[in-house]
Amino acid sequence: MDGLTQVVERWGYVGLVAVVALENVFPPIPSEVVIPFAGFLTTFGAMTLPGVIVAATVGSVLGALVLYGAGRALGRRRLEALTRRYGHYLGIQLDHVARAEDWFARYGPWAVLIGRVVPIVRSLISIPAGLAEMPLPVFLLYTVVGTVAWNTALAGAGAALGAAWPLVEQWVRLYQHLLLVAALTVAAVWLGLRLAARPRR
């Protein structure tokens, strides 16, 4: 992380675009460190808050396009072929793939939009969008809207906190944990309802 923040500090907007693009392709690099730091730099450097938001958004979109392209390159046919060959090892069948495709066809744009403000998911959501062959203009529109919201929150918090910008990472980590707990709770309730609805022997 020290190396990445040094890239942003030294190369400014260009460095921020590069680091955020890399973060989108390689999710373990956390944007909740790099973007707040860039926001902090606006309090005394040559960078501006709107410029940081634009640069971070450009980097995010570039990285998202890489994963979207990977999903499109894999395609439905290859995914179905892989499922036929290896799916039984993971308990995945072709009808599971078909149902996932149907779901994404109905809710895909909203999944992309909401996914952009969820850590880790914000990067990976590009792959199913590519697999589902979501039209590129639609993908870009929802990606940009969600990404601008995320980047504005992080950069704005970094600028507002000043030297205390590392607090943003702690807040995002708490947010991530709360989302995980909520997701596990929903999954547990759903599973419980499914089990309760089964006829008893």
Side-chain angles (χ1 to χ4, degrees):
M1 286 303 98
D2 287 343
L4 293 175
T5 53
Q6 287 173 15
V7 169
V8 174
E9 187 173 12
R10 180 174 181 180
W11 297 101
Y13 297 124
V14 174
L16 182 60
V17 169
V19 170
V20 174
L22 181 61
E23 176 260 332
N24 272 261
V25 177
F26 190 65
I29 297 175
S31 59
E32 59 266 26
V33 171
V34 177
I35 298 176
F37 175 72
F40 161 62
L41 292 180
T42 66
T43 61
F44 64 88
M47 300 172 74
T48 66
L49 188 58
V52 165
I53 294 169
V54 169
T57 300
V58 170
S60 296
V61 171
L62 290 175
L65 285 172
V66 171
L67 295 183
Y68 173 85
R72 288 293 291 257
L74 178 61
R76 295 180 181 178
R77 291 184 179 179
R78 289 192 180 93
L79 178 62
E80 291 174 355
L82 289 171
T83 302
R84 289 192 191 96
R85 188 167 184 179
Y86 303 108
H88 61 280
Y89 293 113
L90 301 173
I92 300 174
Q93 301 173 3
L94 283 177
D95 64 326
H96 296 154
V97 175
R99 276 183 284 177
E101 290 176 346
D102 291 341
W103 183 92
F104 208 87
R106 292 178 62 187
Y107 305 110
W110 291 107
V112 170
L113 178 64
I114 295 171
R116 293 299 171 196
V117 296
V118 179
I120 303 299
V121 174
R122 62 186 305 273
S123 298
L124 300 180
I125 193 65
S126 302
I127 297 175
L131 281 170
E133 298 180 357
M134 178 183 290
L136 184 58
V138 175
F139 173 76
L140 287 175
L141 173 63
Y142 284 86
T143 293
V144 168
V145 172
T147 299
V148 166
W150 178 256
N151 292 340
T152 299
L154 294 185
L161 289 171
W165 67 267
L167 286 174
V168 179
E169 181 186 7
Q170 299 177 27
W171 295 344
V172 173
R173 194 173 301 168
L174 175 61
Y175 165 62
Q176 187 173 349
H177 291 164
L178 291 174
L179 287 177
L180 178 60
V181 170
L184 291 175
T185 301
V186 170
V189 170
W190 177 82
L191 181 60
L193 292 175
R194 288 290 298 269
L195 293 175
R198 284 186 176 182
R200 297 181 180 180
R201 296 181 180 179

